[in-house]
Amino acid sequence: MSLTARLVRVRGVVQGVGFRPYIFRLAHAHAVNGWVLNAGDAVEIHVEGDAEQVASFLAGVGDDAPVAASIAAVDVSDATAVHLDDFTIHASRAREGQTAHVSPDLAICDECLAEVRDPSNRRFGYPYINCTGCGPRYSIVLSVPYDRSATTMRDWPMCARCQAEYDDPASRRFHAQPNACPDCGPAYRVWREGVASAGDPIAAVAAALRRGEIVAIKGIGGYHLACDAANAIAVAALRNRKFRKEKPFAVMACDLHRAGQIAELSAEAIRELASVARPIVLAPARMTFEGVAPANRELGVMLPSTPLHHLLFDAGAPDVLVMTSGNRSSEPIAIDDGEARRRLVDIADLFLIGDRPIARRMDDSVLGLRPAAVTMLRRSRGYAPGVVARLHTHGPLLALGGDLKNTVTLVAGGEAFTSQHIGDLEHVEAFGSFCHAVEDLLAMHGVRLDQLTVVTDAHPQYRSSAHAATLGSARVIAVQHHRAHLASVLAEREALDRDVIGVACDGTGYGDDGAIWGGELFAGSVTRGLERVGHLRSAPLVGGDAAAQLPVQCAAGFLAGMDDLPDFEAAPFWFPPRFRQAVTLSRQPTRVFRTTSVGRLFDAAAALLGYVTPITFEGEAAIWLEQLATLGVSGVAYPLPYTDGELDYRPLLAAVMRDRVAGVPSADIARAFHAGLARGLADAATMLARRRGVGVVVVSGGVFQNALLLGAMEQRLATAGLECWNNRVVPANDGGLSLGQAALAACQGGEAANA
Ligand code: ZN
Ligand code: ZN
Ligand code: FE
């Protein structure tokens, strides 16, 4: 009998998501023989049989694929039949120099949830239950291909029953790498004052949370600190012990119904909250929990994502828990048990510690609801290490991002993989995670350093830039900060050739001239280069980036060059004496930095409206100003004229001062400031777009996380017949820089710049 045989290679997120069992079942359904295996960069299938059956099998690949799988490409080629008499799943084959797609971590599936709640099931109450459709992935992977021996589950050999499931193609746990049960798998234990307690750990923790205690809970990508969100004393204690003054805490609601009671959830918000990634979603608050999100109209909400979370709520934990990262102030989240106990000992009353090690730190991801779409604010657990864009390069390329909100991006095989959020590199632990993430990405994709192009920010003092020199790569390219922001949007859209006008606004970035940029207008494309064609009028900034700590110090620089200034130390301003010193220093050109930063302009406006104390976290004054503006009803837009490539902030700030002295409500002033800024930026961009005959304005940079500003700009540009493109996949803040750097460097091709 003549047999038809084909070799099929399926690329995409196809490992660790139940893809091979799915192919196995498909093969049986179509009565074809052959094998399937994980081949490092792809799932490889050899199929043979009757021509018609092979064809129907091939047509079926992709139908009813596992929910967490995402197929990028299916290549079919002719093969030689070897007359197999069954279809089998083969062991994985590691291959060098190829791209592997490891799945992000997946929230518990409905079937596992039903089992863990079923007293007759052998995994009743077992916090490590999982299957091919759910459970940890990237957070437990040590190397590729994805097999149990290459995960942090390698120290727990399966018992006979688990192994039988693992080997049974009909089972939901067929080749589920983290498969485990109470007999053979890891467990959770409660520790109080350094001693492990006996008894049911979950019941004990639920009771402690009810009593108002603070618990450090080991999760998927690190430790959380949890307490009852409705217990103001517990929340205050957590703030105190964590040294976290004002920054909002995220909360976890026991279910979607409860989440809808505490925050206003749009259909979009619900879809994101309940997605397999289970991110934190920022939504308008419907209830206030004292101390959880002080002076904030939004609440960061998430749903349970692991079996453990569900079990805690089932055991009677308060139905809304503060769930904040297990760290002190802005340090990175703790992942190692010993490290967690050491670092969190003064914060947590007790610890809920699971045995399964965490391979890498993964923070909770954060999404914001913005007028046009949902925006990524922090891309981490549930999303990383997914592909963010397709980019064509001559060889592998690694972009190291910036020093704040760091991420790194590797381009290999035409795809860009952006790491999880790593954080601020000034922290030793974060810098360690950064080095680890670099090694991780290179190892997972089999990239050799001598073939690698490394890309950095142009800032000469960034730690990330300095690290590039230690890697020993083939070459290093430096990319200017704001061009990278804009390129990140164009990379997401695969529009590298597109001629656009770009508006990049953020707090700080190193400019071509060595000044602190952050309010920049560009024209051009990623492939041909982005030329700076305009900017915010430059202002002196006493202390440089350090001025960002104190809004009045920023205000001093912007106001120093203006006429007819009121007495800022009297009503209604009440600036501290520090302001006058800063003004004096601002007028001595040798003593100051220069800035065109819109982030700092926000600080100056906030100071004029009463924000005269130091900030406690990055961007706090700007967020305060945005919140204030949402309460305003003014239809006014203050002037921000654009002439000769310069946006003049003086009329804008003069209007703020005038209205403040006249007793106009602060909320209305804040609103008119936003409207004026949006109009000024949009009109300047429109003028440039008309002059150059382009139809798209790209906006990026941390300032555009401001929903009010972004919404007003989009509207104004739409009225002018222009499209407004902003980030969707990676954050508009510095978390998106590495993708933009990669895109710009990819386009510089062979004639590399150096650094
Ligand atoms: Zn499951
Ligand atoms: Zn077992
Ligand atoms: Fe930036």
Side-chain angles (χ1 to χ4, degrees):
M1 177 178 103
S2 101
L3 284 181
T4 302
R6 296 283 184 272
L7 181 70
V8 188
R9 294 176 54 78
V10 187
R11 290 189 302 112
V13 178
V14 287
Q15 296 191 12
V17 290
F19 200 80
R20 287 177 301 164
Y22 153 73
I23 290 296
F24 178 93
R25 285 191 293 268
L26 192 69
H28 276 260
H30 293 280
V32 291
N33 294 331
W35 46 256
V36 57
L37 60 75
N38 276 344
D41 66 325
V43 162
E44 232 171 64
I45 307 161
H46 172 89
V47 59
E48 58 183 48
D50 170 271
E52 237 169 71
Q53 279 160 332
V54 168
S56 70
F57 167 84
L58 292 174
V61 172
D63 295 346
D64 299 318
V67 262
S70 145
I71 297 174
V74 180
D75 301 319
V76 181
S77 53
D78 288 337
T80 311
V82 284
H83 298 272
L84 298 167
D85 51 15
D86 61 359
F87 194 95
T88 49
I89 296 183
H90 281 191
S92 297
R93 170 168 17 109
R95 282 207 289 200
E96 223 184 305
Q98 292 184 331
T99 306
H101 293 217
V102 175
S103 162
D105 298 304
L106 308 169
I108 184 172
C109 72
D110 292 345
E111 286 154 300
C112 285
L113 185 57
E115 286 179 2
V116 82
R117 284 175 165 164
D118 172 6
S120 70
N121 191 282
R122 70 192 189 94
R123 290 189 179 85
F124 176 59
Y126 184 56
Y128 284 115
I129 187 171
N130 66 84
C131 72
T132 49
C134 76
R137 296 291 185 274
Y138 193 44
S139 64
I140 60 165
V141 170
L142 298 167
S143 59
V144 288
Y146 176 67
D147 264 335
R148 190 179 183 92
S149 59
T151 71
T152 61
M153 285 296 290
R154 62 186 174 184
D155 293 336
W156 286 274
M158 280 179 274
C159 67
R161 291 164 87 184
C162 285
Q163 187 69 49
E165 293 168 329
Y166 186 90
D167 294 333
D168 174 9
S171 164
R172 215 171 78 246
R173 301 203 164 85
F174 183 55
H175 286 214
Q177 305 305 344
N179 189 28
C181 77
D183 293 337
C184 64
Y188 268 88
R189 265 169 275 277
V190 169
W191 292 75
R192 191 187 281 275
E193 284 159 15
V195 182
S197 345
D200 178 355
I202 289 167
V205 165
L209 289 166
R210 278 199 306 274
R211 286 195 301 270
E213 294 191 83
I214 295 167
V215 188
I217 300 175
K218 189 175 181 182
I220 287 283
Y223 274 80
H224 279 118
L225 286 162
C227 74
D228 181 358
N231 184 330
I233 297 168
V235 174
L238 179 56
R239 271 200 189 280
N240 238 333
R241 297 185 203 169
K242 218 172 124 74
F243 297 123
R244 180 140 148 172
K245 289 186 191 132
E246 304 282 337
K247 196 173 180 187
F249 287 140
V251 298
M252 180 180 283
C254 62
D255 57 26
L256 199 52
H257 175 73
R258 189 74 184 112
Q261 291 174 333
I262 64 173
E264 226 173 282
L265 301 178
S266 61
E268 232 177 2
I270 290 171
R271 198 186 60 225
E272 299 297 342
L273 267 178
S275 73
V276 285
R278 292 285 202 285
I280 295 171
V281 175
L282 299 182
R286 292 180 96 159
M287 269 178 66
T288 316
F289 294 97
E290 198 185 328
V292 168
N296 211 304
R297 290 157 48 79
E298 284 190 321
L299 189 61
V301 186
M302 65 179 143
L303 293 178
S305 56
T306 67
L308 181 72
H309 296 149
H310 287 285
L311 291 170
L312 279 170
F313 287 119
D314 291 353
D319 59 9
V320 182
L321 292 172
V322 165
M323 271 286 188
T324 184
S325 45
N327 57 14
R328 196 179 293 259
S329 189
S330 55
E331 289 169 6
I333 188 167
I335 58 168
D336 176 75
D337 300 336
E339 173 204 355
R341 281 220 285 263
R342 208 168 49 246
R343 282 168 55 194
L344 306 180
V345 66
D346 297 329
I347 304 178
D349 297 306
L350 67 168
F351 289 79
L352 181 53
I353 300 183
D355 298 331
R356 186 178 68 205
I358 297 169
R360 60 186 59 71
R361 185 174 276 126
M362 304 288 287
D363 290 87
D364 295 318
S365 296
V366 184
L367 299 183
L369 300 171
R370 294 298 174 257
V374 176
T375 346
M376 187 67 75
L377 299 177
R378 183 165 75 196
R379 188 178 167 283
S380 205
R381 177 184 53 76
Y383 299 96
V387 174
V388 291
R390 302 186 63 79
L391 278 177
H392 294 285
T393 54
H394 293 297
L397 191 150
L398 176 73
L400 297 178
D403 273 15
L404 299 173
K405 298 185 167 69
N406 179 273
T407 63
V408 299
T409 293
L410 178 74
V411 186
E415 291 170 316
F417 302 85
T418 298
S419 74
Q420 69 277 25
H421 164 84
I422 289 164
D424 297 350
L425 301 187
E426 61 171 338
H427 296 287
V428 179
E429 284 93 353
F431 190 77
S433 297
F434 163 79
C435 298
H436 186 195
V438 167
E439 285 164 27
D440 242 13
L441 282 172
L442 296 179
M444 286 196 172
H445 298 275
V447 171
R448 286 180 19 210
L449 282 165
D450 58 357
Q451 304 167 332
L452 186 66
T453 300
V454 173
V455 197
T456 70
D457 192 273
H459 199 304
Q461 262 109 47
Y462 269 1
R463 286 173 174 82
S464 49
S465 309
H467 189 67
T470 70
L471 284 172
S473 63
R475 58 184 180 143
V476 177
I477 297 176
V479 168
Q480 198 277 324
H481 191 100
H482 301 95
R483 291 183 179 91
H485 271 309
L486 297 172
S488 72
V489 177
L490 292 160
E492 283 181 12
R493 305 242 183 181
E494 295 181 22
L496 302 184
D497 260 338
R498 188 68 173 251
D499 265 313
V500 298
I501 298 301
V503 184
C505 295
D506 64 2
T508 180
Y510 189 80
D512 294 344
D513 55 3
I516 298 169
W517 286 10
E520 316 304 318
L521 295 160
F522 292 87
S525 70
V526 175
T527 45
R528 286 174 293 282
L530 291 160
E531 181 199 351
R532 189 195 195 212
V533 292
H535 55 82
L536 188 70
R537 180 185 168 84
S538 142
L541 191 62
V542 175
D545 286 335
Q549 300 303 314
L550 189 59
V552 290
Q553 196 167 322
C554 298
F558 284 93
L559 297 171
M562 293 173 59
D563 306 322
D564 304 324
L565 295 180
D567 179 1
F568 287 110
E569 283 170 49
F573 300 105
W574 301 117
F575 282 0
R578 178 96 171 256
F579 173 77
R580 202 185 303 173
Q581 296 157 20
V583 169
T584 310
L585 287 172
S586 304
R587 290 177 173 147
Q588 301 171 342
T590 53
R591 304 287 299 274
V592 296
F593 297 81
R594 305 291 306 183
T595 190
T596 52
S597 160
V598 169
R600 297 294 82 82
L601 180 64
F602 262 90
D603 291 342
L608 288 170
L609 292 180
Y611 203 113
V612 297
T613 52
I615 60 163
T616 67
F617 63 90
E618 199 242 327
E620 187 176 12
I623 292 168
W624 177 85
L625 197 67
E626 181 190 0
Q627 302 263 335
L628 187 62
T630 57
L631 301 171
V633 290
S634 162
V636 175
Y638 294 147
L640 179 65
Y642 181 70
T643 35
D644 299 329
E646 189 175 281
L647 283 155
D648 190 351
Y649 57 76
R650 291 173 299 180
L652 183 76
L653 291 181
V656 172
M657 281 187 287
R658 181 200 63 218
D659 281 1
R660 178 91 161 120
V661 170
V664 173
S666 299
D668 287 340
I669 301 176
R671 196 168 189 93
F673 171 83
H674 276 78
L677 186 58
R679 181 178 293 187
L681 291 169
D683 289 356
T686 302
M687 207 258 279
L688 292 166
R690 296 247 161 84
R691 197 183 286 164
R692 288 168 184 260
V694 305
V696 172
V697 175
V698 173
V699 303
S700 189
V703 163
F704 289 107
Q705 292 176 121
N706 182 318
L708 196 61
L709 180 72
L710 180 61
M713 260 191 85
E714 280 173 341
Q715 229 169 49
R716 185 85 179 167
L717 290 169
T719 313
L722 292 167
E723 280 183 69
C724 180
W725 289 3
N726 59 303
N727 292 98
R728 293 170 175 172
V729 184
V730 297
N733 61 44
D734 285 5
L737 274 185
S738 60
L739 174 63
Q741 291 171 347
L744 279 160
C747 294
Q748 290 186 18
E751 78 287 5
N754 46 46

